[in-house]
Amino acid sequence: MSLLLFIPETVFALLFIKAGWPESTKKGFFFKMCASAIFVLNGFIGYNFNISAYGKTVLFALIAGFIGDIFLTMDPFLTTEKAKKLSMVFIVTGGIAFLTGHILYFAAYIGKVETFTAQSVKIFVSGILILLILAVAVKFILKLSFGKLTAPILLYTLV
């Protein structure tokens, strides 16, 4: 069943990308919410409705991602000048929701690790540093400018 949900999740994600480029649209928002709802449902089904502490943590992380998707795709609804001023509030709220989800994933996975060895910690930290270096390199290669959001984006990338 979980694999069957992957197909509509992928279709809705692709429809979201198509409908949301080059500008966000209400249609894109609908497709994104469908894809997000399916991945939460997929997570719930993946734990066979019998959720352990690990499963609950991962499910809450998926829900945090769903909430993040809501806030990060609100642009088409912010049509008035007053509403557009809230855009940064929605972006920050969505970012915090995603960050919360990532922290929950991390907590779930760490809770599953029986023992750490010095070697596994070195590999883990090295992997994080490599990913952070790659993210910074991509930023410079693509000449992206995040302005005031540079520090929070780098922090989010690190997490």
Side-chain angles (χ1 to χ4, degrees), residues 16-76:
F16 160 69
I17 292 167
K18 186 173 187 214
W21 182 260
E23 285 187 19
S24 298
T25 63
K26 290 179 181 177
K27 189 175 178 181
F29 176 84
F30 171 77
F31 292 142
K32 182 63 174 171
M33 292 303 95
C34 289
S36 294
I38 293 170
F39 75 65
V40 171
L41 177 63
N42 212 356
F44 191 67
I45 291 171
Y47 292 104
N48 298 317
F49 304 97
N50 182 10
I51 303 193
S52 63
Y54 171 80
K56 285 179 188 174
T57 306
V58 171
L59 191 58
F60 286 134
L62 289 169
I63 292 168
F66 178 83
I67 292 167
D69 282 342
I70 291 171
F71 283 100
L72 291 173
T73 54
M74 288 299 290
D75 283 355

Side-chain angles (χ1 to χ4, degrees), residues 125-157:
V125 171
S126 297
I128 289 174
L129 291 175
I130 289 168
L131 290 174
L132 187 59
I133 290 166
L134 284 173
V136 171
V138 167
K139 178 200 178 306
F140 285 109
I141 291 168
L142 297 178
K143 298 177 183 170
L144 299 174
S145 176
F146 301 124
K148 295 178 189 176
L149 294 176
T150 299
I153 288 171
L154 285 175
L155 176 64
Y156 180 80
T157 302

Side-chain angles (χ1 to χ4, degrees), residues 77-155:
F77 301 99
L78 306 176
T79 55
T80 67
E81 201 57 41
K82 186 177 179 182
K84 286 182 183 184
K85 290 180 181 177
L86 292 174
S87 181
M88 187 55 68
V89 172
F90 283 107
I91 290 169
V92 169
T93 303
I96 289 169
F98 272 115
L99 180 62
T100 300
H102 285 48
I103 291 168
L104 288 170
Y105 289 130
F106 186 75
Y109 297 134
I110 291 299
K112 282 300 224 181
V113 175
E114 298 296 325
T115 59
F116 283 109
T117 65
Q119 185 66 19
S120 65
V121 171
K122 286 178 189 175
I123 291 169
F124 181 75
V125 171
S126 297
I128 289 174
L129 291 175
I130 289 168
L131 290 174
L132 187 59
I133 290 166
L134 284 173
V136 171
V138 167
K139 178 200 178 306
F140 285 109
I141 291 168
L142 297 178
K143 298 177 183 170
L144 299 174
S145 176
F146 301 124
K148 295 178 189 176
L149 294 176
T150 299
I153 288 171
L154 285 175
L155 176 64

